[in-house]
């Protein structure tokens, strides 16, 4: 378990770079969340963008999930397949709110510790900051595990003609 909401992995696939990106492209849809017509239908597993060198995707979910990881991938061609480097991280908005509330709670801790000495309130603020961090890391790691499982199943998919 990392101390920051970030995870990474690198693995080798027997699929070529073009096959891998093509297969990802078939199960990924670029979504405009303001347009109801772009809702996921059928075989769509991921939302995001697939490029020539890599991808930026997230797992399709029915309800909003603050701690859903953004999957950033880079694919490199090898003689016998491809090497996939993946980074899992929080979306920038989720990272902003996690940092914002941590800073606010720690500022209140300093305020109640030094300016208005009330150590009960200072302790509550520290405990809330720690609880905020622990809950965020727990749910982020849980979502990384779920997204990793879906991604690995997709990559190990063998196309049969």
């Amino acid at each position: 378990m990392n101390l920051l909401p970030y995870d990474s992995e690198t693995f080798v696939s027997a699929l070529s770079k073009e096959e891998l990106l093509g297969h990802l492209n078939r199960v990924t849809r670029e979504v405009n969340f303001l347009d109801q017509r772009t809702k996921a239908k059928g075989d769509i597993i991921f939302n995001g963008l697939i490029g020539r060198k890599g991808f930026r995707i997230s797992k399709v979910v029915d309800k909003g999930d603050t701690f859903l990881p953004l999957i950033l991938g880079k694919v490199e061609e090898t003689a016998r397949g491809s090497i996939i480097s993946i980074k899992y991280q929080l979306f920038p908005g989720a990272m902003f709110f996690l940092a914002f509330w941590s800073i606010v709670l720690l500022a209140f801790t300093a305020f109640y510790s030094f300016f208005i000495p009330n150590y009960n309130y200072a302790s509550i603020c520290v405990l809330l900051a720690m609880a905020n961090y622990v809950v965020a890391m727990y749910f982020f790691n849980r979502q990384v595990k779920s997204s990793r499982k879906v991604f690995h199943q997709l990559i190990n998919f063998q196309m049969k003609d």
Side-chain angles (χ1 to χ4, degrees), residues 50-106:
I50 308 296
R52 288 187 216 143
K53 295 182 179 181
F55 49 90
R56 182 181 176 95
I57 59 177
S58 66
K59 190 174 74 165
V60 170
V61 292
D62 296 330
K63 295 188 279 184
D65 191 339
T66 303
F67 302 105
L68 186 70
L70 175 62
I71 304 170
L72 303 171
K74 184 177 175 185
V75 182
E76 297 176 19
E77 185 77 33
T78 64
R80 295 186 181 193
S82 55
I83 297 174
I84 307 161
S85 301
I86 298 178
K87 297 176 187 173
Y88 301 92
Q89 63 187 35
L90 278 177
F91 278 88
M95 189 61 144
F96 170 78
F97 282 110
L98 177 63
F100 174 78
W101 284 112
S102 296
I103 290 169
V104 165
L105 288 168
L106 292 176

Side-chain angles (χ1 to χ4, degrees), residues 3 5 12 26 31 40 54 59 86 91 100 106 111-112 121 126 142 144 152:
L3 293 177
V12 178
R26 282 191 292 280
V31 177
K59 190 174 74 165
I86 298 178
F91 278 88
F100 174 78
L106 292 176
F111 179 75
Y112 285 124
Y121 287 171
V126 165
R142 191 173 83 170
V144 164
H152 284 213

